[in-house]
Amino acid sequence: ITGGAGFIGGTLVRKLLRESNCQIFNIDKFGYASDLTGINNEIKLLGNDLNRRHNIIKVDISNKEILSKTFQDIDPDFVFHLAAESHVDKSIEGPEIFLRSNVLGTFNLLEVSREHFGRISPERKKIFRFHHVSTDEVFGSLDDKGKFSENSLYRPNSPYSASKAASDHFVRAWQSTYGLPISISNCSNNFGPWQLPDKLIPLVIYKAIKDEAI
């Protein structure tokens, strides 16, 4: 799982700890939005022996050489790709890191996954999957009426959504060109426990608790 110390990634890790017996390798660069508190609390709740199933690996996916070595060590059966810079306002202030993390990082992950897929046995190839977590923002903005689907036209309107749109296209291309088994989810805005308070809902709640202007 890339980005497993983030909000959505951490939620996925906690779910897998509760509902599976799989070995989890949590790859994260541990930037400003990374936080293992929710995962550590879940492990304490379920039993500290689950620590053996949760392996933390500090790696920036924009570094292909280290990522490739990490993949060889892990030898994964399934890849959940959630690592991404995701704040629209931050992408407007500094778009380059979004290009590096979301586009180059996804490219690197696809390449090391393709190399890995070529090494594993035919039996393991049948179950291997690269799942890419994207966003509905790649489809642009809705008017007062209407809805998006996976068949909507791509119309990204920010550096963030443009970088995610580019990563979507790379993922699809690696399936079409190289036969890498992939899936993509374009989810809408998420909210819930352990979300970083620079997002809308936790920010409003935080300001209300502090009796600050909203």
Side-chain angles (χ1 to χ4, degrees), residues 16-33:
L16 290 175
L17 286 171
R18 287 192 305 267
E19 301 179 15
S20 79
N21 60 0
C22 61
Q23 284 288 325
I24 301 167
F25 295 88
N26 189 343
I27 298 176
D28 202 293
K29 70 177 182 180
F30 288 92
Y32 82 97

Side-chain angles (χ1 to χ4, degrees), residues 81 102 106-107 109-110 130-134 164-178 180-184:
H81 178 32
N102 299 356
T106 299
F107 167 80
L109 195 62
L110 285 166
F130 182 108
H131 181 68
H132 174 62
V133 176
S134 186
K164 291 297 290 185
S167 67
D168 286 7
H169 294 324
F170 272 101
V171 173
R172 285 193 174 91
W174 258 239
Q175 179 186 46
S176 179
T177 302
Y178 301 111
L180 184 70
I182 65 98
S183 55
I184 300 175

Side-chain angles (χ1 to χ4, degrees), residues 118-130:
R119 291 191 297 264
I120 60 178
S121 68
E123 290 75 19
R124 292 183 64 194
K125 280 183 169 67
K126 293 177 182 177
I127 64 170
F128 183 85
R129 179 68 59 87
F130 182 108

Side-chain angles (χ1 to χ4, degrees), residues 15-86:
K15 181 178 179 64
L16 290 175
L17 286 171
R18 287 192 305 267
E19 301 179 15
S20 79
N21 60 0
C22 61
Q23 284 288 325
I24 301 167
F25 295 88
N26 189 343
I27 298 176
D28 202 293
K29 70 177 182 180
F30 288 92
Y32 82 97
S34 301
D35 185 2
L36 292 172
T37 306
I39 295 173
N40 291 336
N41 285 357
E42 190 75 24
I43 289 174
K44 288 179 183 178
L45 181 66
L46 297 174
N48 286 329
D49 59 318
L50 287 186
N51 267 319
R52 59 184 171 78
R53 285 181 42 216
H54 180 232
N55 306 273
I56 302 168
I57 304 173
K58 185 176 181 179
V59 169
D60 187 338
I61 61 172
S62 66
N63 188 321
K64 185 182 178 184
E65 183 178 352
I66 296 177
L67 184 63
S68 180
K69 175 65 167 58
T70 300
F71 249 62
Q72 292 179 45
D73 293 339
I74 293 174
D75 190 26
D77 293 310
F78 204 105
V79 177
F80 287 100
H81 178 32
L82 295 98
E85 296 290 335
S86 64

